[in-house]
């Protein structure tokens, strides 16, 4: 398993992974990603800013995607909660998705571990990692807490008017 920075030629691949993720969430009864987020413009911006990554199996087949964004992340400006540490040296994990035909194979856990290892190795200046997920996305909440993140607050209406999300943080350097 490995991941690589996405390029403009991989835009369609990322969009397909996110469409598949949207469908998986809908099938599970989770209202996350059912509106216009994430959208084409967001993904183009992720790629242009070097934030978009693709996950690949050892046979080079693409199995998922993620965006790693740098501070400040204004998504959290209205968070109801408190960070574990007050810092401007953090990265945020957004738009994490694994293709449905790869579900149940442990890819999400493996890739999350590799992602955290990559971030800590490539960004020694980072004090923490931040992530959020929809209140009904129990699978992602389980993965996030299994990976050592702590629930630090809630977001209301950031991605869509009535959405509620849980916000998590993991302290890296302390």
């Amino acid at each position: 398993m490995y991941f690589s920075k996405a390029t403009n030629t991989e835009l369609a691949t990322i969009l397909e992974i996110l469409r598949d993720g949207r469908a998986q969430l809908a099938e599970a009864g989770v209202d996350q990603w059912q509106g216009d987020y994430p959208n084409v413009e967001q993904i183009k911006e992720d790629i242009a800013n070097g934030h978009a990554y693709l996950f690949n199996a050892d046979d080079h087949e693409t199995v998922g995607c993620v965006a790693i964004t740098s501070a400040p992340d204004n998504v959290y400006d209205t968070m109801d909660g408190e960070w574990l540490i007050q810092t401007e040296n953090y990265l945020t994990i957004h738009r994490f998705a694994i293709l449905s035909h790869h579900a149940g194979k442990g890819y999400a856990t493996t890739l999350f571990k590799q992602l955290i290892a990559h971030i800590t190795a490539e960004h020694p200046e980072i004090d923490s990692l931040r992530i959020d997920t929809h209140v009904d996305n129990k699978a992602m909440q389980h993965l996030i807490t299994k990976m050592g993140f702590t629930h630090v607050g809630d977001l209301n209406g950031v991605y869509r008017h009535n959405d509620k999300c849980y916000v998590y943080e993991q302290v890296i350097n302390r």
Side-chain angles (χ1 to χ4, degrees):
M1 299 294 302
Y2 65 97
F3 61 99
S4 58
K5 197 169 279 199
T7 65
N8 286 326
T9 61
E10 294 155 327
L11 174 64
T13 301
I14 294 172
L15 293 173
E16 178 55 36
I17 294 167
L18 295 174
R19 274 192 293 276
D20 183 75
R22 180 178 282 123
Q24 290 177 67
L25 290 166
E27 186 176 309
V30 177
D31 198 31
Q32 185 176 7
W33 292 3
Q34 300 309 303
D36 66 348
Y37 175 88
N39 58 50
V40 174
E41 292 309 313
Q42 177 68 60
I43 306 313
K44 285 181 179 178
E45 185 177 317
D46 285 346
I47 293 170
N49 291 326
H51 297 162
Y53 291 83
L54 289 172
F55 296 129
N56 301 286
D58 290 336
D59 64 2
H60 308 293
E61 181 180 0
T62 300
V63 299
C65 65
V66 68
I68 305 169
T69 63
S70 53
D73 192 332
N74 296 326
V75 165
Y76 301 124
D77 288 353
T78 60
M79 181 182 79
D80 180 19
E82 188 173 325
W83 298 112
L84 297 174
I85 59 172
Q86 297 301 318
T87 182
E88 294 301 316
N89 295 323
Y90 65 88
L91 292 176
T92 306
I93 300 168
H94 283 298
R95 297 173 284 288
F96 182 92
I98 302 293
L99 285 164
S100 58
H101 63 276
H102 291 294
K105 298 178 182 176
Y107 284 143
T109 299
T110 300
L111 293 169
F112 225 96
K113 287 178 183 176
Q114 288 182 355
L115 183 63
I116 292 169
H118 169 79
I119 290 170
T120 56
E122 296 295 317
H123 299 279
E125 75 282 6
I126 297 304
D127 295 321
S128 76
L129 292 174
R130 298 174 179 180
I131 190 169
D132 63 87
T133 194
H134 195 277
V135 66
D136 294 331
N137 192 342
K138 304 298 184 199
M140 191 63 176
Q141 291 168 33
H142 175 74
L143 177 62
I144 291 168
T145 56
K146 182 168 87 170
M147 293 296 106
F149 286 77
T150 302
H151 178 219
V152 295
D154 301 332
L155 287 176
N156 293 296
V158 172
Y159 300 105
R160 286 187 17 212
H161 178 67
N162 291 322
D163 272 355
K164 181 174 181 181
C165 295
Y166 293 144
V167 180
Y168 299 82
E169 182 176 35
Q170 182 182 99
V171 176
I172 301 297
N173 288 326
R174 289 287 166 165

